[in-house]
């Protein structure tokens, strides 16, 4: 019978540790206040729930959490201007562009994500951060929060992935691909499986650690799990269930009851990986704030080659630096007042 890795409890420890760290820093630097802004276009109900959870976590930890909500008719250039304004705001240390965007104007999500300054991209989704992760430059990048949370949970299970056979099921840009990279640079021998992989069960049976992020209910069968393996289930598959107070039951990507009988350690759904995502987002925001305040222990981060100077951004639009900053701020105020 597997040990259940309780992500809720681990996330609580991470969040409490961050709160304590902020309070300790503020004893010497009273003006230290990490800031996180979540930019949303439109009004998707699921996005509202996710953002609410992030802002609540900010309040509990001592981070200034701001929800910037723009209307569905926001244009791509207006969104770019909003993000560039946050890039130069010294009180903002982390920026998230909540996707999918709920807009009527055909905004390019990838393009706008890459407008984020990599040094404030606490979700680790810009091409710069993804590229640094792929190259193993972990000290100079932010890594996506869900796979980073998975690494913390694997460590919580007492497993060192060095030299272990690891199987990642899924190759999304948000979870699967960066999960592969993190495990590789932790010296695991990593196999990535996906929708085109034949005989998925064969690969999983070889693995000492299995991380599943496929988005398909109970895709991974209990009989495929190697005895004693660590199983991390990132799946969240909702189905209507009248017996639940919420009216919804969440299923993972792993056949949990059967896998639990074989694995050495396993995460449940819910209460496993999910809480870690928000906790690691908070950690990245605090790390960014420490770096910007020059606090010892913050990671080095050079973005000179990638983030356009403010003067350059203004010149590209035929504006002086001061005029560009003023126009960006005015546009933001006009949009938020509507």
């Amino acid at each position: 019978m597997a040990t259940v890795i309780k992500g809720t409890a681990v996330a609580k420890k991470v969040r409490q540790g961050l709160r304590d760290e902020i309070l300790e820093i503020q004893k010497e630097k009273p003006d230290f206040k990490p800031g996180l802004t979540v930019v949303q276009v439109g009004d998707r109900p699921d996005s509202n729930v996710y953002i609410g959870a992030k802002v609540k976590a900010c309040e509990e930890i001592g981070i200034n959490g701001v929800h910037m909500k723009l209307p569905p008719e926001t244009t791509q250039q207006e969104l770019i201007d909003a993000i560039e304004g946050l890039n130069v705001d010294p009180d903002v240390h982390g920026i998230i562009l909540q996707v999918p965007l709920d807009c009527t104007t055909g905004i390019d999500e990838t393009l706008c994500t890459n407008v984020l300054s990599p040094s404030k991209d606490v979700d680790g989704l810009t091409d710069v951060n993804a590229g640094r992760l792929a190259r193993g430059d972990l000290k100079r990048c932010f890594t996506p929060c869900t796979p980073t949370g998975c690494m913390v949970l694997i460590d919580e299970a007492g497993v060192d992935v060095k030299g272990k056979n690891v199987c990642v099921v899924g190759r999304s840009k948000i979870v699967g691909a960066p999960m592969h990279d993190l495990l590789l640079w932790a010296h695991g021998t990593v196999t990535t499986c996906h929708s085109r992989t034949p005989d998925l069960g064969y690969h999983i049976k070889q693995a000492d650690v299995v991380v599943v992020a496929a988005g398909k209910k109970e895709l991974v069968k209990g009989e495929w799990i190697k005895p004693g393996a660590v199983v991390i289930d990132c799946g969240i598959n909702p189905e209507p269930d009248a017996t639940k107070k919420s009216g919804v039951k969440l299923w993972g990507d792993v056949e949990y009851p059967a896998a639990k009988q074989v694995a050495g350690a396993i995460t449940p759904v819910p209460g496993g990986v999910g809480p870690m995502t928000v906790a690691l987002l908070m950690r990245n925001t605090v790390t960014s704030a420490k770096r910007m305040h020059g606090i010892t222990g913050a990671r080095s981060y050079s973005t000179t080659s990638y983030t356009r100077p403010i003067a350059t951004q203004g010149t590209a639009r035929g504006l002086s630096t001061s005029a560009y900053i003023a126009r960006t701020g005015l546009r933001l105020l006009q949009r938020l007042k509507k």
Side-chain angles (χ1 to χ4, degrees):
M1 181 72 73
T3 299
V4 177
I5 309 171
K6 298 178 180 178
T8 302
V10 179
K12 184 177 179 180
K13 288 194 294 184
V14 171
R15 287 156 73 155
Q16 184 59 53
L18 291 171
R19 178 173 175 76
D20 293 345
E21 183 178 16
I22 290 172
L23 292 172
E24 189 64 28
I25 292 172
Q26 287 173 340
K27 291 178 182 178
E28 295 186 8
K29 294 179 176 286
D31 63 336
F32 180 77
K33 182 75 171 180
L36 173 68
T37 297
V38 184
V39 181
Q40 178 186 17
V41 178
D43 193 35
R44 281 179 61 107
D46 55 344
S47 291
N48 291 334
V49 172
Y50 298 145
I51 294 169
K54 292 167 186 173
V55 172
K56 182 180 178 182
C58 286
E59 293 173 355
E60 292 174 356
I61 292 169
I63 294 172
N64 182 33
V66 176
H67 179 189
M68 179 185 285
K69 196 168 188 176
L70 304 176
E73 61 270 19
T74 298
T75 66
Q76 181 164 293
Q77 187 56 55
E78 287 171 333
L79 178 57
I80 290 172
D81 287 343
I83 294 170
E84 289 183 335
L86 296 172
N87 282 345
V88 300
D89 188 335
D91 294 326
V92 176
H93 307 102
I95 309 168
I96 297 172
L97 178 60
Q98 187 71 38
V99 294
L101 302 177
D102 178 23
C103 64
T104 58
T105 53
I107 296 175
D108 185 330
E109 291 181 2
T110 300
L111 184 151
C112 289
T113 295
N114 280 297
V115 174
L116 270 68
S117 168
S119 64
K120 295 187 178 184
D121 170 31
V122 288
D123 244 350
L125 298 181
T126 59
D127 289 348
V128 171
N129 279 321
R132 286 176 173 170
L133 171 58
R135 290 296 183 93
D137 194 0
L138 303 185
K139 291 183 178 180
R140 296 198 309 132
C141 73
F142 284 117
T143 57
C145 301
T146 297
T148 306
C150 291
M151 295 297 289
V152 174
L153 293 177
I154 292 169
D155 184 65
E156 185 73 15
V159 174
D160 182 354
V161 299
K162 186 185 299 181
K164 299 286 195 305
N165 289 323
V166 185
C167 183
V168 176
V169 182
R171 55 178 171 179
S172 73
K173 295 178 182 178
I174 297 174
V175 185
M179 188 78 251
H180 169 277
D181 293 339
L182 284 169
L183 290 162
L184 179 67
W185 298 116
H187 309 296
T189 303
V190 189
T191 298
T192 298
C193 299
H194 44 78
S195 59
R196 302 295 188 273
T197 302
D199 199 358
L200 178 61
Y202 167 79
H203 296 284
I204 292 174
K205 286 177 182 177
Q206 316 306 312
D208 304 300
V209 178
V210 181
V211 182
V212 190
K216 187 173 181 180
K217 174 187 171 184
E218 296 190 329
L219 170 68
V220 173
K221 306 306 177 186
E223 65 194 54
W224 296 349
I225 303 299
K226 180 179 179 179
V230 174
V231 180
I232 308 294
D233 188 350
C234 302
I236 302 178
N237 304 289
E239 286 190 354
D241 188 336
T243 66
K244 299 291 182 181
K245 185 178 180 180
S246 64
V248 175
K249 178 178 174 60
L250 296 180
W251 298 83
D253 289 352
V254 177
E255 191 180 36
Y256 183 78
K260 187 179 177 183
Q261 299 298 318
V262 184
I266 189 169
T267 58
V269 175
V273 173
M276 295 300 298
T277 300
V278 175
L280 269 295
L281 174 63
M282 299 298 111
R283 191 174 79 176
N284 280 354
T285 301
V286 173
T287 297
S288 179
K290 287 165 60 180
R291 180 192 59 77
M292 292 184 190
H293 280 262
I295 295 172
T296 304
R299 71 186 72 192
S300 164
Y301 208 111
S302 170
T303 57
T304 308
S305 303
Y306 304 98
T307 306
R308 288 178 293 165
I310 302 306
T312 303
Q313 295 179 30
T315 302
R317 293 167 172 77
L319 299 170
S320 67
T321 301
S322 58
Y324 171 70
I325 294 174
R327 191 193 73 168
T328 299
L330 180 60
R331 281 193 173 187
L332 282 175
L333 288 172
Q334 290 172 338
R335 301 303 298 180
L336 292 173
K337 283 180 179 179
K338 290 183 179 181

